[in-house]
Amino acid sequence: MKKLINGQKKYILSMFPYPSGNLHMGHVRVYTISDLLARTHKMLGYKVIHPFGFDAFGLPAENAAIERGISPSEWTYKNISHMKEQMKALDFDFDIDREVITCSPEYYKWTQWLFLQLYKKGLAYQQEALVNWDPIDQTVLANEQVDSNGKSWRSGALVERKNLRQWFFKIRDFAHDLLTDADTLENWPLNVRTMQKQWIGKSEGAEFHFHVENSSSKVTIFTTRPDTIFGVTYIAVAPENTKLLKEIVPQSEKERVDSFINRITSLTSLKRNEVAALSKEGCFTGVYAIHPFTKEKIPIYVADYVIADFAEGSVMGVPAHDTRDFEFANKHGINIKQVVQSLNVEVKEECYTEKNGILINSDIFDGLTVEEAIKKIIEHAEMQGVGKYSVQYKIRDWLVSRQRYWGAPIPIIHCPQCGPVPVPEDQLPVKLPENIEFTGKGPSPLAKAEDWVNVKCPCGKGVNCKRDTDTMDTFVDSSWYFLRYTDPKNDKEAFNVKKANEEMNVDIYIGGIEHAILHLLYSRFIHKFLYREGYLKTKEPFETLLTQGMVQGETFKDIETNKYYKPEEIARNEDGTAVDKSTGKALTSVWEKMSKSKYNGVDPEAVTKKYGSDTVRLYILFKAPYDKELMWEQNQILGQERFLQRLEQVANNFAKLKKEDPKTIESDDEYKLLKDVFTLIEQTRDGVSKNFTFNTCVSNLHKYSNLLQENEETLGKTKAYEEAMLLLPSLMAPFTPNFADKLFKIVTSHLPSEHPLKQLSSVHETAYPTVTPNDIKIEKKSQLCVVQINGKKKDDIQIPIEILQMKDPKERQAQIELFVSENCSNFVQSQICNPSNLKKVIHVNQKNQYVINYVVANPTTTSN
Ligand code: ANZ
């Protein structure tokens, strides 16, 4: 019964929280699940790794500094300690000595080390990119600081776009592996794998080169429809494709074209997409390209709908077969040339975008199907040297630099003599300077910290060198924390390779669906990089992924004004519908993600205080399958509370009943009880550890408790009942750790001190029950027989089935009477032994018991 260690590890990880200051129900749900998994696997004998930490860098700490003058570090650590207190009340069993806090220098030293490894391999590079710029506060804004109208959160100014030199990680180099390996993640939800693949976005097609008329320049385009090459009637270049435009736009057209480009690029990205979707703005460059096959002159435009950083940043316009091109051509009076004939649709007014049809107006390719033409045209282009097969990925390189304070500083020094120089690894961490004034205006806080910024160059030669004043995106911190957990205190390395490879991969990763794309993709990328560099042995970090559903609260709102109501502003009609307390106006009830602004949140601390952590945990697990929304209906917690109370009562009854200690299991009913509880145990074990059907596992516990209650009267004193009782606390321990321990103490109270269970100080030291329900064969061997004297029960005994099944009824009854008279109590024997006194014997064969009623003339009154 004592826990055994089977030597295998199980790494169970819940996504670590951002220390906002308060736990919310979403946190409680995710940690309840990981705690159940961790405790279960521990009891099954695994060496469980179940770490916890905080994803502690990020914008809110800096906002608090701007708004309340408290330092980001102080704010963050205060929040962490408050959240840890709240966690304690929920009795989660985390490996506290593995704690990782990403804003501590001991951690971010290694985030900086990781940056340098990427830099050394050419995978971290600098390039200009657009940022959000607040023209009033003269500061860069994060996307979250720009509201839906494109205005700054603080100054209210219309946010502009500005080009800044920023750091990127070359995730595109890993696009192929990230895409193909997504198919190996069999234990991830299909929708997450699909989202990852769509984000990476593979497009297969061809690139073609179009020479520019009267020039040595050429425009290269990428297309997924090489079959439509004869339908090209214009070329469109992205406004930000500066390199190409500089090369091809003649001096005479420059002013006109530049003014168009400036107008488009100054729009916020939101506005830009809106305009591009609606109006398809464009501007003729004044130059023509030469069609690679027909040698026709094709006008070159700058067009707002062309994306600068996808593929070549230029497209071939085929208005007859692409919707965007069709709209653009119509707006700008460009020819439309159909080259694919629909097999069954007449194409006239609209473009025909299906890939199903035959080629027309396409020279030697006429008559081919789209599929055949794609192959043949690529071959032809390759032969002519004007194009080739090409694969493009939509995923952009990861922009990691932020013009913020509360993040890991980028460990680079800019030297006027040597350029960017990595900070030597033995000088890491580059610590954040303290005592900074946060105003939210002007350059980023680090850029203003002059003592910190101005440094000597590591090369020893440079003068006037400056530290990079950007910090890293917090997604960098969380892209490798699961590795740090394997060796959290190592001050020589990010992690010890041997240790990491022993404990990785994460076996079960639990977190919110909101991280389905970026966090998981970035973690996979960093893991793959470290694999490529020989640090890790596996290609993917996370084996099984569980994405838990949202916790929702009931929200009341006035559907006309959209005003949300606080619980105290609501009254109920007789039929239960909600109305405005003061006006009586009917309110609409909807289930929405819990949030402060909707007054539908439930505070985990208060609920735990009221009902106890065990009840809350059971409720959360029971209320919905883990991956579905959980609608918080507080009154239903009582169901779980009552269940625990009832169970405690059953255990107390058992403790009282337990006077003698039966050694063996005898009756079929005992076997049946054991078979039933064994089945429940087996289903619960697999439900938690293999199928993740936590809600049905809780109903198994309910069923188990009901079985005990139902059999209490008949089997309460038997060996089987005792066994069932002794196994239950261990089964419940991962669900309700406190209650299970209490139960354990009650049901073991009668055991002699030398009993193995008495050697354990808590239920958490016991092993998971090992049971084999299929080994219990219930073969009825006997049936209960109630013996009555003149209709009153005087005894009960088991009659062998072989007697009950005898064919001849007379013979059968005689044998039953003989068996009963030999086996019943002395009192009954004395009553029936005198044939003259015995008037009649009545046999009644009922389903579960056999009744024999001896009718006697002079019954004695003394009986047992
Ligand atoms: C000509 C063409 C004809 C296209 C046709 C489509 C249909 P998907 O399909 O989403 O993977 N494209 C290429 N580079 C682009 C850029 N930088 N900005 C905007 N659009 C670009 O995307 C590939 C298609 O998107 C390409 O195929 C191209 O338009 C366009 F009947 O080329 B196509």
Side-chain angles (χ1 to χ4, degrees):
M1 290 288 244
K2 191 175 175 347
K3 206 152 50 190
L4 293 170
I5 301 294
N6 72 14
Q8 282 185 58
K9 65 93 193 176
K10 208 44 107 178
Y11 188 168
I12 292 161
L13 181 63
S14 36
M15 291 182 184
F16 62 166
Y18 175 76
S20 58
N22 277 305
L23 281 191
H24 56 65
M25 275 300 170
H27 291 133
V28 179
R29 190 175 191 191
V30 73
Y31 307 135
T32 300
I33 295 169
S34 84
D35 196 61
L36 170 65
L37 287 165
R39 287 177 185 272
T40 299
H41 284 98
K42 258 186 201 173
M43 292 178 75
L44 285 168
Y46 290 90
K47 175 189 166 220
V48 169
I49 303 149
H50 189 219
F52 193 76
F54 290 91
D55 189 12
F57 271 138
L59 200 56
E62 221 165 318
N63 290 345
I66 297 170
E67 285 167 5
R68 284 182 264 152
I70 175 169
S71 91
S73 161
E74 194 187 333
W75 186 82
T76 306
Y77 279 98
K78 239 189 207 158
N79 288 348
I80 289 178
S81 73
H82 184 222
M83 284 169 84
K84 278 195 195 166
E85 279 306 308
Q86 291 183 307
M87 298 278 291
K88 249 187 224 153
L90 283 148
D91 301 298
F92 297 131
D93 183 23
F94 284 111
D95 307 343
I96 38 171
D97 50 348
R98 289 189 191 244
E99 183 182 85
V100 150
I101 297 178
T102 59
C103 69
S104 71
E106 295 76 33
Y107 183 84
Y108 71 70
K109 168 176 180 170
W110 302 110
T111 308
Q112 292 172 335
W113 171 85
L114 184 63
F115 179 98
L116 293 180
Q117 306 318 302
L118 288 156
Y119 181 78
K120 273 194 228 158
K121 296 288 162 180
L123 294 169
Y125 67 94
Q126 268 185 304
Q127 192 177 295
E128 288 220 326
L130 285 171
V131 292
N132 303 306
W133 178 255
D134 180 333
I136 293 184
D137 283 349
Q138 293 283 305
T139 193
V140 173
L141 297 175
N143 286 338
E144 306 88 289
Q145 294 174 318
V146 183
D147 69 16
S148 55
N149 297 319
K151 295 193 172 155
S152 162
W153 69 302
R154 280 195 80 233
S155 69
L158 202 57
V159 173
E160 294 173 1
R161 310 273 281 160
K162 198 171 170 172
N163 255 321
L164 275 191
R165 238 176 127 63
Q166 311 207 53
W167 288 97
F168 290 84
F169 286 166
K170 260 193 199 168
I171 193 170
R172 284 168 63 91
D173 266 23
F174 290 75
H176 173 264
D177 289 358
L178 287 166
L179 188 86
T180 47
D181 291 346
D183 286 327
T184 66
L185 304 170
E186 283 167 22
N187 298 319
W188 283 36
L190 190 60
N191 63 338
V192 177
R193 279 155 59 185
T194 310
M195 282 191 263
Q196 295 258 312
K197 282 161 70 175
Q198 283 172 349
W199 188 263
I200 299 163
K202 180 177 174 178
S203 290
E204 258 183 303
E207 59 179 49
F208 289 110
H209 312 298
F210 288 73
H211 280 284
V212 179
E213 196 188 28
N214 303 328
S215 136
S216 60
S217 304
K218 60 179 184 185
V219 181
T220 302
I221 63 90
F222 168 74
T223 178
T224 47
R225 294 289 306 271
D227 54 307
T228 63
I229 183 79
F230 287 88
V232 176
T233 53
Y234 69 94
I235 297 285
V237 182
E240 296 88 351
N241 193 342
T242 330
K243 195 166 159 272
L244 177 70
L245 289 169
K246 259 192 196 147
E247 212 177 293
I248 63 171
V249 179
Q251 198 56 37
S252 54
E253 311 284 345
K254 209 169 170 318
E255 206 180 312
R256 187 178 53 83
V257 176
D258 278 355
S259 99
F260 171 77
I261 293 174
N262 289 341
R263 182 161 66 78
I264 297 296
T265 53
S266 65
L267 297 173
T268 62
S269 54
L270 200 81
K271 196 85 192 146
R272 164 86 187 275
N273 293 340
E274 221 172 77
V275 171
L278 288 176
S279 56
K280 301 278 174 316
E281 300 230 32
C283 160
F284 178 46
T285 57
V287 278
Y288 292 86
I290 305 296
H291 191 288
F293 295 154
T294 66
K295 308 296 178 204
E296 279 170 312
K297 270 171 65 169
I298 312 274
I300 304 177
Y301 281 77
V302 183
D304 65 355
Y305 73 94
V306 183
I307 303 157
D309 57 0
F310 174 59
E312 304 294 336
S314 307
V315 304
M316 62 181 213
V318 186
H321 303 291
D322 180 276
T323 317
R324 293 162 302 181
D325 297 353
F326 183 75
E327 287 167 11
F328 189 83
N330 277 329
K331 178 155 181 168
H332 299 276
I334 300 170
N335 279 348
I336 298 178
K337 180 180 169 195
Q338 186 177 354
V339 289
V340 180
Q341 177 99 61
S342 159
L343 294 174
N344 41 28
V345 185
E346 188 66 23
V347 184
K348 271 195 193 134
E349 293 299 303
E350 296 165 46
C351 63
Y352 178 65
T353 58
E354 312 265 312
K355 278 182 132 180
N356 148 16
I358 52 161
L359 263 70
I360 52 169
N361 301 327
S362 299
D363 197 8
I364 54 166
F365 305 100
D366 280 359
L368 295 180
T369 63
V370 165
E371 207 181 319
E372 291 162 347
I374 290 180
K375 252 177 79 191
K376 289 266 154 62
I377 290 177
I378 294 178
E379 274 170 24
H380 189 67
E382 282 174 354
M383 250 155 47
Q384 307 272 311
V386 293
K388 60 174 194 219
Y389 169 80
S390 167
V391 172
Q392 296 290 335
Y393 295 97
K394 287 228 164 65
I395 188 172
R396 310 268 57 88
D397 275 343
W398 177 8
L399 198 170
V400 295
S401 53
R402 298 286 180 274
Q403 293 69 48
R404 316 254 126 236
Y405 169 82
W406 196 232
I410 289 188
I412 294 283
I413 292 169
H414 297 276
C415 165
Q417 281 74 34
C418 340
V421 184
V423 172
E425 285 179 20
D426 61 4
Q427 288 174 29
L428 296 181
V430 175
K431 277 200 192 171
L432 283 168
E434 285 165 13
N435 300 324
I436 300 279
E437 199 196 344
F438 292 88
T439 60
K441 294 180 186 172
S444 82
L446 287 184
K448 285 190 278 189
E450 288 194 11
D451 290 352
W452 182 86
V453 171
N454 296 312
V455 282
K456 283 211 182 93
C457 182
C459 73
K461 288 175 279 183
V463 282
N464 298 331
C465 301
K466 290 190 188 302
R467 285 193 190 284
D468 197 294
T469 57
D470 284 354
T471 52
M472 281 182 253
D473 176 9
T474 57
F475 274 123
V476 182
D477 309 325
S478 56
S479 68
W480 75 281
Y481 77 116
F482 45 91
L483 296 168
R484 182 68 180 170
Y485 276 145
T486 65
D487 196 11
K489 303 225 160 59
N490 194 336
D491 59 0
K492 305 274 179 307
E493 310 157 286
F495 51 85
N496 176 281
V497 167
K498 188 165 170 284
K499 275 190 193 167
N501 283 303
E502 268 164 20
E503 296 194 340
M504 285 295 285
N505 288 344
V506 172
D507 292 281
I508 308 178
Y509 195 22
I510 312 123
I513 189 78
E514 67 275 18
H515 292 301
I517 300 181
L518 294 183
H519 163 61
L520 292 171
L521 197 68
Y522 294 150
S523 302
R524 294 178 62 215
F525 159 57
I526 294 298
H527 190 94
K528 283 185 184 302
F529 166 67
L530 293 169
Y531 166 77
R532 204 187 265 186
E533 293 304 305
Y535 291 97
L536 298 175
K537 290 203 181 115
T538 54
K539 289 186 179 176
E540 287 285 336
F542 311 126
E543 295 292 330
T544 294
L545 176 71
L546 305 185
T547 46
Q548 103 274 12
M550 298 269 182
V551 182
Q552 297 183 324
E554 195 176 14
T555 316
F556 296 94
K557 67 176 174 187
D558 181 335
I559 202 129
E560 285 166 15
T561 60
N562 256 340
K563 175 189 161 181
Y564 285 98
Y565 277 68
K566 295 179 187 160
E568 60 270 23
E569 295 170 336
I570 296 162
R572 296 273 182 179
N573 278 336
E574 265 173 26
D575 62 358
T577 52
V579 292
D580 181 323
K581 208 177 190 172
S582 51
T583 65
K585 189 174 182 195
L587 300 176
T588 309
S589 137
V590 267
W591 290 90
E592 287 177 79
K593 183 185 171 185
M594 283 188 179
S595 106
K596 276 194 193 118
S597 59
K598 292 177 181 159
Y599 311 113
N600 66 347
V602 175
D603 174 22
E605 208 173 345
V607 181
T608 315
K609 232 180 224 154
K610 187 160 175 197
Y611 298 98
S613 64
D614 290 327
T615 316
V616 174
R617 292 161 62 115
L618 267 191
Y619 172 70
I620 287 179
L621 293 168
F622 180 67
K623 184 71 209 286
Y626 78 87
D627 55 344
K628 297 282 177 310
E629 268 84 49
L630 188 158
M631 297 187 200
W632 190 271
E633 293 179 89
Q634 187 107 337
N635 54 353
Q636 290 182 4
I637 296 189
L638 292 176
Q640 302 305 326
E641 194 174 45
R642 270 186 239 120
F643 156 64
L644 293 180
Q645 283 163 352
R646 223 171 30 236
L647 188 50
E648 190 173 341
Q649 188 57 48
V650 174
N652 280 324
N653 293 347
F654 164 80
K656 271 186 231 136
L657 275 174
K658 249 354 285 179
K659 290 187 196 88
E660 68 243 52
D661 185 15
K663 293 280 177 293
T664 52
I665 292 167
E666 280 155 2
S667 73
D668 292 333
D669 290 342
E670 282 183 79
Y671 278 111
K672 176 151 181 358
L673 172 69
L674 271 191
K675 190 175 174 91
D676 287 349
V677 300
F678 279 17
T679 306
L680 288 173
I681 291 173
E682 200 177 45
Q683 286 172 353
T684 308
R685 182 194 64 212
D686 292 351
V688 173
S689 62
K690 292 192 188 138
N691 308 321
F692 314 118
T693 46
F694 312 124
N695 57 328
T696 44
C697 292
V698 176
S699 32
N700 283 346
L701 301 179
H702 288 200
K703 284 185 198 156
Y704 198 134
S705 162
N706 290 344
L707 272 178
L708 290 173
Q709 212 172 351
E710 284 159 16
N711 288 291
E712 183 176 295
E713 210 180 303
T714 46
L715 302 179
K717 292 181 184 170
T718 62
K719 183 75 188 161
Y721 194 85
E722 176 179 53
E723 207 170 316
M725 259 300 174
L726 292 179
L727 290 175
L728 181 59
S730 302
L731 185 68
M732 289 192 75
F735 293 85
T736 53
N738 297 304
F739 176 82
D741 200 38
K742 187 167 167 192
L743 202 66
F744 180 70
K745 304 268 151 61
I746 299 172
V747 302
T748 55
S749 58
H750 68 286
L751 296 174
S753 60
E754 65 281 2
H755 192 282
L757 284 180
K758 284 286 204 186
Q759 316 312 312
L760 308 176
S761 63
S762 106
V763 71
H764 303 291
E765 289 173 18
T766 64
Y768 209 87
T770 39
V771 292
T772 39
N774 290 336
D775 285 357
I776 301 179
K777 300 259 179 310
I778 305 173
E779 227 179 85
K780 255 187 169 313
K781 291 191 209 78
S782 60
Q783 187 175 324
L784 186 74
C785 176
V786 172
V787 185
Q788 299 175 336
I789 304 286
N790 292 349
K792 284 204 179 113
K793 180 181 167 185
K794 298 292 173 191
D795 198 1
D796 50 21
I797 47 173
Q798 295 283 342
I799 330 172
I801 290 285
E802 67 239 37
I803 299 182
L804 284 167
Q805 285 174 346
M806 289 174 77
K807 291 258 156 56
D808 178 1
K810 271 204 178 140
E811 174 67 8
R812 183 173 66 231
Q813 292 201 354
Q815 286 292 330
I816 291 172
E817 280 171 44
L818 184 65
F819 183 84
V820 169
S821 66
E822 281 171 0
N823 291 285
C824 63
S825 66
N826 291 341
F827 169 75
V828 175
Q829 285 189 22
S830 70
Q831 295 291 301
I832 60 175
C833 63
N834 179 356
S836 60
N837 197 28
L838 186 62
K839 294 173 93 184
K840 203 156 76 171
V841 188
I842 304 166
H843 290 247
V844 184
N845 195 0
Q846 292 173 346
K847 198 167 155 242
N848 290 322
Q849 62 178 15
Y850 197 98
V851 180
I852 299 191
N853 184 11
Y854 292 97
V855 183
V856 298
N858 297 306
T860 331
T861 44
T862 33
S863 77
N864 53 350

